[in-house]
Amino acid sequence: MTTVLLILVALGFVSIVIEDIVHIDKAKTTLFFGSFAWLLFFISPPTGLSHEALMESLNENLLDIATLWLFLMAAMTFVAYLSGKGIIDNIVNRLLPSQISERKLMLLTGLFAFLFSSMADNITATLVCIAVLMNLNLPAQKLLRYLVLVVFSVNAGGTALITGDVTTLMIFLANKVAIPDLLLLSLPAASAVAVLAVMLSFGLNGEVHIEKQLQTTERGDKVIATLFFATIVGTIGANVAFGIPPVLCFLFGLSLMFMVVQFTNKDEPILEYIRKIEFDTLLFFLGVLLLVGMLKELGMLAYFPALYDVLPPVAANYLVGLASALFDNVPLTAALLNSGIEMSLAEWLSLTYSVGVGGALLVIGSAAGVIAMSKVEALTFGSYLRYFGYLLVAYSVGFVAVLGLGALL
């Protein structure tokens, strides 16, 4: 049965790759294979697993999924409202000149995504960056390059902060690294983003013309925009100070948005914005997480600590980063921390970087990539894979930079 389940998981991931060939929406196929695998997991469980253990496994995975679902729903509703009111358009028109070179825009996109994801979470940063880029009306092939940079940059941006990436927080809580050491990781991560931005700029010699059409922003909409920013800042602060899960803060921020609109413009159908979010994105997210959860339950992650028995820690860390493009980096990091591996500070920093950034090597390897692929039709597994060489070079440059940084500590 384990073999059958692994085949189903593999078919689920293959269905994403061949979506353009079979013309079946990846949200449908991933949900089918993910839920089917879990059904068989209950019908014929591995030896020794009781029904209670099966329920505990399912509930644990569903809790992770529900948390991400609700967070994504709240963030997407905020962005849908701000986009619908023209606030994002206005921000673009105010911040960018009426004409900018494509290469300069590439560098600014990487910098903005990197810095914004350092302050916010990857999901929110990706949604905002996609909304900004879509408003520029770029040709599909050029838009792909910017989206690839966004996915990589938002993954790199949170690596150096315990609030920016769950795996960074896990390694910090295990007393493997200190906050001052982590903050220095922003330099190698930023260098990786810069390298990728330069490589993706090759062949871009045109100019981007931005039509300045500032829309009138109502006072209530300005309040909502301020509330969105306050929710992001409050989420970080509440998580650091009280350990409050980000999803609670974003749901509270969403409820405040509903109340503000209720008292400033009762005629605004605010709940309609929930219906405007792309539920195919949420269903695709659900299917992918079910597949990844099944890999975890089948014990596939238990094989990775064995890498450190046959390879030097630095080489193993590099490969673990590559593996995080397919396996969820949170349980992968947990498996490594629980294995009792002994490493130096420099080696732990390299692992922090690799599991934080490595997921961007494949479009299905991170929440940012999954969301981007669901929201932009031109971005598929295959189209993203064409830039794998660039991504691997950028990832490797950052990894080497981390090793150089560790040698100085």
Side-chain angles (χ1 to χ4, degrees):
M1 181 54 68
T2 298
T3 302
V4 172
L5 294 176
L6 286 174
I7 291 174
L8 287 176
V9 172
L11 289 174
F13 286 119
V14 169
S15 71
I16 300 173
V17 178
I18 63 174
E19 179 190 19
D20 291 338
I21 301 175
V22 298
H23 301 295
I24 301 177
D25 194 292
K26 54 187 171 291
K28 300 175 183 177
T29 54
T30 52
L31 183 59
F32 169 77
F33 286 112
S35 57
F36 188 30
W38 276 95
L39 281 173
L40 293 182
F41 188 63
F42 268 77
I43 293 173
S44 181
T47 305
L49 274 184
S50 64
H51 182 74
E52 290 74 17
L54 291 172
M55 287 301 302
E56 184 178 350
S57 298
L58 178 63
N59 289 337
E60 180 182 346
N61 281 276
L62 289 181
L63 177 61
D64 292 339
I65 293 170
T67 299
L68 289 172
W69 248 61
L70 293 172
F71 185 94
L72 186 57
M73 181 272 294
M76 290 175 71
T77 304
F78 260 119
V79 173
Y81 181 90
L82 297 177
S83 181
K85 293 297 183 178
I87 294 175
I88 293 179
D89 278 340
N90 286 349
I91 292 174
V92 173
N93 290 332
R94 291 183 186 278
L95 293 180
L96 295 178
S98 57
Q99 183 170 314
I100 185 174
S101 69
E102 292 174 340
R103 291 186 174 183
K104 189 174 182 179
L105 178 62
M106 182 70 74
L107 293 173
L108 288 177
T109 299
L111 178 63
F112 176 77
F114 182 85
L115 293 177
F116 191 34
S117 66
S118 298
M119 297 183 295
D121 62 279
N122 289 1
I123 293 175
T124 308
T126 304
L127 289 172
V128 172
C129 289
I130 289 176
V132 170
L133 289 173
M134 295 296 284
N135 287 335
L136 298 179
N137 297 316
L138 297 166
Q141 288 304 313
K142 292 182 178 180
L143 176 62
L144 280 176
R145 297 192 179 199
Y146 291 97
L147 291 174
V148 169
L149 181 62
V150 165
V151 173
F152 187 89
S153 299
V154 297
N155 277 278
T159 303
L161 298 173
I162 59 175
T163 55
D165 193 288
V166 176
T167 54
T168 301
L169 177 61
M170 292 169 64
I171 295 173
F172 167 75
L173 292 177
N175 297 317
K176 304 300 183 182
V177 293
I179 288 181
D181 302 323
L182 284 174
L183 292 177
L184 291 175
L185 269 183
S186 59
L187 298 177
S191 68
V193 171
V195 168
L196 181 60
V198 170
M199 289 190 295
L200 290 174
S201 297
F202 294 155
L204 294 180
N205 300 311
E207 299 282 330
V208 177
H209 300 276
I210 303 172
E211 297 182 5
K212 300 284 187 175
Q213 295 181 347
L214 292 176
Q215 302 182 33
T216 302
T217 304
E218 301 293 336
R219 188 179 69 174
D221 295 336
K222 293 180 180 178
V223 173
I224 298 301
T226 303
L227 177 61
F228 180 50
F229 180 75
T231 299
I232 294 172
V233 175
T235 297
I236 297 173
N239 185 262
V240 172
F242 306 106
I244 299 176
V247 63
L248 283 179
C249 294
F250 252 82
L251 288 176
F252 180 65
L254 183 66
S255 68
L256 286 179
M257 182 180 83
F258 292 160
M259 298 304 292
V260 168
V261 174
Q262 174 65 30
F263 289 105
T264 57
N265 184 8
K266 293 184 178 180
D267 296 329
E268 177 71 49
I270 184 63
L271 293 178
E272 289 296 321
Y273 287 96
I274 295 180
R275 299 184 177 92
K276 291 182 179 180
I277 65 178
E278 295 84 355
F279 278 92
D280 55 342
T281 298
L282 295 175
L283 289 173
F284 177 48
F285 212 83
L286 170 60
V288 169
L289 291 177
L290 285 173
L291 292 171
V292 172
M294 180 52 60
L295 283 177
K296 182 180 68 174
E297 297 304 325
L298 293 177
M300 298 305 296
L301 301 181
Y303 293 100
F304 286 98
L307 277 175
Y308 294 81
D309 296 330
V310 296
L311 292 174
V314 169
N317 288 343
Y318 183 84
L319 292 178
V320 165
L322 299 182
S324 69
L326 185 59
F327 296 91
D328 188 346
N329 60 353
V330 173
L332 180 56
T333 304
L336 295 176
L337 289 172
N338 294 331
S339 67
I341 296 171
E342 295 293 336
M343 293 193 292
S344 66
L345 173 60
E347 291 164 347
W348 280 113
L349 286 174
S350 68
L351 177 65
T352 305
Y353 169 86
S354 65
V355 295
V357 180
L361 294 174
L362 295 178
V363 72
I364 60 173
S366 67
V370 172
I371 292 167
M373 183 166 53
S374 297
K375 292 185 69 67
V376 182
E377 185 177 351
L379 183 64
T380 64
F381 184 92
S383 63
Y384 190 92
L385 190 63
R386 290 204 297 268
Y387 299 97
F388 180 79
Y390 289 171
L391 292 163
L392 184 61
V393 170
Y395 165 78
S396 301
V397 167
F399 189 85
V400 171
V402 174
L403 297 181
L405 173 67
L408 298 175
L409 295 177

Coordinates of all heavy atoms in Angstrom, one line a residue, residues 73 76-77 80 258 269-280 282:
M73 N -7.1 33.4 2.6 CA -8.4 34.0 2.3 C -8.4 35.4 2.8 O -8.9 36.3 2.1 CB -9.5 33.1 3.0 CG -10.9 33.7 2.7 SD -11.5 34.9 3.9 CE -11.5 33.9 5.4
M76 N -6.0 37.6 0.6 CA -6.5 37.8 -0.7 C -7.7 38.8 -0.7 O -7.9 39.5 -1.7 CB -6.9 36.5 -1.3 CG -5.7 35.6 -1.6 SD -6.2 33.9 -2.2 CE -6.8 34.3 -3.9
T77 N -8.5 38.7 0.3 CA -9.7 39.6 0.4 C -9.2 41.1 0.5 O -9.8 42.0 -0.1 CB -10.6 39.2 1.6 OG1 -11.0 37.9 1.4 CG2 -11.9 40.1 1.6
A80 N -7.9 42.1 -2.8 CA -9.0 42.3 -3.8 C -9.7 43.6 -3.6 O -10.0 44.3 -4.6 CB -10.0 41.1 -3.7
F258 N -14.2 44.9 7.7 CA -15.7 44.8 7.6 C -16.4 45.9 8.4 O -17.3 46.5 7.9 CB -16.1 43.4 8.0 CG -15.7 42.3 7.1 CD1 -15.7 41.0 7.5 CD2 -15.3 42.6 5.8 CE1 -15.3 40.0 6.7 CE2 -14.9 41.5 4.9 CZ -14.9 40.2 5.4
P269 N -20.9 46.6 -0.8 CA -21.1 45.1 -0.5 C -19.8 44.5 -0.2 O -19.2 43.7 -1.0 CB -21.7 44.7 -1.9 CG -21.1 45.6 -2.9 CD -21.0 46.9 -2.2
I270 N -19.3 44.7 1.0 CA -17.9 44.3 1.4 C -17.7 42.8 1.3 O -16.7 42.3 0.9 CB -17.6 44.9 2.8 CG1 -16.1 44.6 3.1 CG2 -18.5 44.4 3.8 CD1 -15.1 45.2 2.2
L271 N -18.8 42.1 1.7 CA -18.6 40.6 1.7 C -18.5 40.0 0.3 O -18.0 38.9 0.1 CB -19.8 40.0 2.4 CG -19.9 40.2 3.9 CD1 -21.1 39.6 4.5 CD2 -18.6 39.7 4.6
E272 N -18.8 40.8 -0.7 CA -18.7 40.4 -2.1 C -17.2 40.2 -2.5 O -16.9 39.4 -3.4 CB -19.3 41.4 -3.1 CG -20.9 41.4 -3.0 CD -21.5 40.1 -3.5 OE1 -20.9 39.5 -4.4 OE2 -22.4 39.6 -2.9
Y273 N -16.3 40.9 -1.8 CA -14.9 40.8 -2.1 C -14.4 39.4 -1.8 O -13.4 38.9 -2.4 CB -14.1 41.9 -1.5 CG -14.3 43.2 -2.1 CD1 -15.3 44.1 -1.6 CD2 -13.6 43.6 -3.2 CE1 -15.5 45.3 -2.1 CE2 -13.9 44.8 -3.8 CZ -14.8 45.7 -3.3 OH -15.0 46.9 -3.9
I274 N -15.0 38.7 -0.8 CA -14.6 37.3 -0.5 C -14.9 36.4 -1.7 O -14.1 35.5 -2.1 CB -15.3 36.8 0.7 CG1 -14.9 37.6 1.9 CG2 -15.0 35.3 1.0 CD1 -15.5 37.2 3.2
R275 N -16.0 36.7 -2.4 CA -16.4 35.9 -3.6 C -15.5 36.2 -4.8 O -15.5 35.4 -5.7 CB -17.8 36.2 -3.9 CG -18.8 35.8 -2.8 CD -20.3 35.9 -3.3 NE -21.2 35.5 -2.2 CZ -21.7 36.3 -1.3 NH1 -21.4 37.6 -1.3 NH2 -22.5 35.9 -0.4
K276 N -14.8 37.3 -4.7 CA -13.9 37.7 -5.9 C -12.5 37.0 -5.8 O -11.8 37.1 -6.8 CB -13.8 39.2 -5.9 CG -15.0 40.0 -6.3 CD -14.8 41.5 -6.4 CE -16.1 42.2 -6.8 NZ -15.8 43.7 -6.9
I277 N -12.2 36.5 -4.7 CA -10.9 35.8 -4.6 C -10.9 34.5 -5.4 O -12.0 33.9 -5.6 CB -10.4 35.6 -3.2 CG1 -11.4 34.6 -2.5 CG2 -10.4 36.9 -2.4 CD1 -10.9 34.3 -1.0
E278 N -9.7 34.1 -5.9 CA -9.7 32.9 -6.7 C -9.7 31.7 -5.9 O -8.7 31.3 -5.3 CB -8.4 33.0 -7.6 CG -8.3 34.1 -8.6 CD -7.9 35.4 -7.9 OE1 -7.7 35.4 -6.7 OE2 -7.7 36.4 -8.6
F279 N -10.8 31.0 -5.9 CA -11.0 29.8 -5.0 C -10.2 28.6 -5.7 O -10.0 27.6 -5.0 CB -12.4 29.5 -4.8 CG -13.0 30.3 -3.6 CD1 -13.6 31.5 -3.9 CD2 -12.9 29.8 -2.3 CE1 -14.2 32.2 -2.8 CE2 -13.4 30.6 -1.3 CZ -14.0 31.8 -1.5
D280 N -9.9 28.7 -7.0 CA -9.1 27.7 -7.6 C -7.7 27.7 -7.0 O -7.1 26.6 -6.9 CB -9.1 27.8 -9.1 CG -8.6 29.1 -9.6 OD1 -8.6 30.1 -8.8 OD2 -8.2 29.3 -10.7
L282 N -7.1 28.4 -3.8 CA -7.2 27.8 -2.6 C -7.4 26.2 -2.7 O -6.8 25.5 -1.9 CB -8.5 28.3 -1.8 CG -8.4 29.8 -1.4 CD1 -9.7 30.2 -0.8 CD2 -7.3 30.1 -0.5

